[in-house]
């Protein structure tokens, strides 16, 4: 009889341990899935923002008025001013590189 109680207690402990490991694995899996989902959302958002800035940069190079760029691309005016500064800087650098003294 003692042997059966010990065996039953050991089985219960083993089952409890297995259930605990399964629960921990499920929590880890759920966390990984949530992280993947959040990472995808961040990536999509960054991709959209990069596309907006590239479109605005192309429009600036084509001399589209600032008001239209802000209206249709949906970027902030400080982002537009930053793009203008980057374009000006690259044009200055290009002219310096092409000049021979």
């Amino acid at each position: 009889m003692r042997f059966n109680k010990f065996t039953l207690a050991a089985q219960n402990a083993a089952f409890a341990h297995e259930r605990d490991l399964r629960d921990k694995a499920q929590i880890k899996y759920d966390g990984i899935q949530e992280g993947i989902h959040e990472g995808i959302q961040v990536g999509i958002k960054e991709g959209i923002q990069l596309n907006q800035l590239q479109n605005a940069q192309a429009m600036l190079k084509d001399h589209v008025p600032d008001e239209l760029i802000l209206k249709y691309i949906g970027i902030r005016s400080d982002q537009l001013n930053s793009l203008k500064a980057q374009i000006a800087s690259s044009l200055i650098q290009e002219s310096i590189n092409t000049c021979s003294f």
Side-chain angles (χ1 to χ4, degrees):
M1 194 74 150
R2 269 179 115 176
F3 182 73
N4 288 340
K5 287 183 183 179
F6 177 73
T7 305
L8 184 59
Q11 285 178 338
N12 287 340
F15 289 140
H17 180 69
E18 187 177 317
R19 186 176 51 247
D20 185 48
L21 291 176
R22 236 187 350 260
D23 291 346
K24 287 178 181 176
Q26 185 65 46
I27 290 168
K28 184 177 181 180
Y29 176 81
D30 292 345
I32 289 170
Q33 293 303 310
E34 184 178 338
I36 289 170
H37 178 73
E38 287 178 17
I40 289 170
Q41 295 303 316
V42 168
I44 290 170
K45 184 177 178 180
E46 288 177 359
I48 290 170
Q49 289 173 346
L50 178 61
N51 188 300
Q52 288 175 322
L53 293 174
Q54 289 170 337
N55 288 336
Q57 188 175 31
M59 292 173 81
L60 282 170
K61 288 181 179 178
D62 286 342
H63 308 288
V64 175
D66 292 359
E67 298 80 27
L68 290 178
I69 296 172
L70 293 171
K71 180 178 180 180
Y72 292 108
I73 299 298
I75 62 173
R76 299 184 318 268
S77 60
D78 63 314
Q79 291 173 306
L80 185 60
N81 291 332
S82 177
L83 280 176
K84 286 180 180 182
Q86 288 175 5
I87 291 170
S89 176
S90 66
L91 290 175
I92 291 169
Q93 189 62 41
E94 285 176 21
S95 65
I96 291 171
N97 291 340
T98 57
C99 288
S100 59
F101 294 101

